[in-house]
Amino acid sequence: VYAPNSFTPDDDGLNDTWIPIVSNVKSLDFSIFNRWGELIFSSSGEGWDGKFIGDYCPIGVYAYVLNWVDKENISHQVTGHITLIR
């Protein structure tokens, strides 16, 4: 599992969504939080477009939690940060 550290959701067609890159994974889900710890996005398949309740999120750093199960049925969790750039 690889989680990019930044993305640019500016609707130019390049790097507009953030999603972990996975291989040999049975399932994956992830959550994204703002700097106050508020859950702003959660998914088990689609990428985050940099919006919360339909509005663009401000430029800044957001925390994520990745949970996945590998092909050997072992659960994993990783936390980190994403920088949203416009």
Side-chain angles (χ1 to χ4, degrees):
V1 173
Y2 168 73
N5 62 5
S6 61
F7 76 121
T8 58
D10 54 8
D11 295 326
D12 67 355
L14 302 170
N15 203 24
D16 285 333
T17 58
W18 183 89
I19 190 163
I21 300 165
V22 300
S23 63
N24 297 317
V25 170
K26 287 176 69 175
S27 65
L28 168 75
D29 63 75
F30 61 94
S31 300
I32 299 175
F33 303 86
N34 64 18
R35 63 181 169 174
W36 298 282
E38 179 181 16
L39 176 66
I40 60 170
F41 184 79
S42 184
S43 177
S44 58
E46 79 179 56
W48 180 41
D49 62 1
K51 295 179 183 175
F52 177 54
I53 312 175
D55 292 327
Y56 288 103
C57 291
I59 293 169
V61 177
Y62 296 82
Y64 65 79
V65 176
L66 303 177
N67 294 291
W68 75 93
V69 176
D70 64 24
K71 296 288 185 181
E72 297 172 358
N73 287 323
I74 299 171
S75 297
H76 304 270
Q77 184 177 74
V78 171
T79 61
H81 296 90
I82 314 157
T83 302
L84 188 155
I85 304 166
R86 292 215 194 275

